[in-house]
Amino acid sequence: MLTTATQQGPPILLFEASATALCLALAFAFPALGAGFFSRIESGFAWLADRRRLAVAVVGASELLLRLALLPLCPIPKPFVQDDFSFLLAGNTFALGQLTNPTPAMWTHFESIQIQMRPTYMSMYFPAQGLVLAAGKVFIGHAWFGLLCVTALMCAALCWMLQAWLTPRWALLGGLLYLLPVSPVAAP
């Protein structure tokens, strides 16, 4: 019988709680432990944050490289919900150099949510997501890479936007903190 991660909760939770308690005990018992190491990291972080354009580029490149490094653990996801298939229809249509597809002969038997059959066969959504998927398919070979590039641009734009509102160090930290939760894991 297969068990899910939620059914195996207590041992993992117990391990994480004990590791956190151990780290907190070490931090209180030896507060200077690793001070030299962390001061070198902080000075490098400050150096990078003071170079605003480089910081934006590093955040964008970090998103690309981090998600590509995670591909063996989290492979390119398969489409799952109706929206994914609708976006892929638009991306495939644009990748073929068409704006829309002709209506199939027996279109009433192929009706689906988020797809328009009349007057032409096409996704019901605006074309931007389809164009991103088409760019990934045409230039790199898979539609998912278009999403990956747009996600990296979004993280870089977030760092750039934060530089206008916060100090450079906080802006870089905000851009770097946004990397993992945004990585396109469950996108088509």
Side-chain angles (χ1 to χ4, degrees):
M1 179 175 147
L2 293 175
T3 59
T4 63
T6 56
Q7 292 172 344
Q8 296 176 336
I12 292 250
L13 184 61
L14 183 63
F15 172 73
E16 289 177 354
S18 60
T20 302
L22 178 66
C23 289
L24 284 174
L26 282 174
F28 280 113
F30 306 105
L33 184 69
F37 173 72
F38 287 115
S39 67
R40 284 193 302 272
I41 289 177
E42 186 178 356
S43 65
F45 188 82
W47 178 87
L48 178 62
D50 290 336
R51 285 144 185 83
R52 293 177 179 236
R53 290 182 182 164
L54 181 62
V56 170
V58 164
V59 167
S62 296
E63 170 62 29
L64 281 173
L65 296 175
L66 184 64
R67 184 56 182 106
L68 290 174
L70 287 174
L71 277 178
L73 299 174
C74 280
I76 296 174
K78 303 276 187 246
F80 181 66
V81 295
Q82 293 93 357
D83 293 353
D84 296 345
F85 292 103
S86 180
F87 290 136
L88 284 173
L89 171 65
N92 289 336
T93 302
F94 295 142
L96 292 172
Q98 302 172 348
L99 292 177
T100 186
N101 299 304
T103 303
M106 308 268 260
W107 66 272
T108 54
H109 302 286
F110 297 106
E111 284 187 294
S112 179
I113 301 174
Q114 282 88 8
I115 295 174
Q116 295 178 348
M117 291 288 191
R118 307 275 297 160
T120 58
Y121 177 49
M122 187 57 178
S123 171
M124 68 174 264
Y125 294 110
F126 291 111
Q129 181 82 7
L131 289 171
V132 167
L133 295 173
K137 188 170 187 172
V138 169
F139 294 119
I140 304 175
H142 197 283
W144 180 82
F145 289 104
L147 285 179
L148 178 64
C149 293
V150 168
T151 304
L153 286 174
M154 184 202 59
C155 289
L158 177 75
C159 180
W160 174 71
M161 182 271 308
L162 287 174
Q163 287 175 348
W165 290 89
L166 303 171
T167 62
R169 291 181 189 182
W170 283 109
L172 179 60
L173 181 64
L176 290 174
L177 286 177
Y178 207 66
L179 293 182
L180 278 179
V182 170
S183 294
V185 174

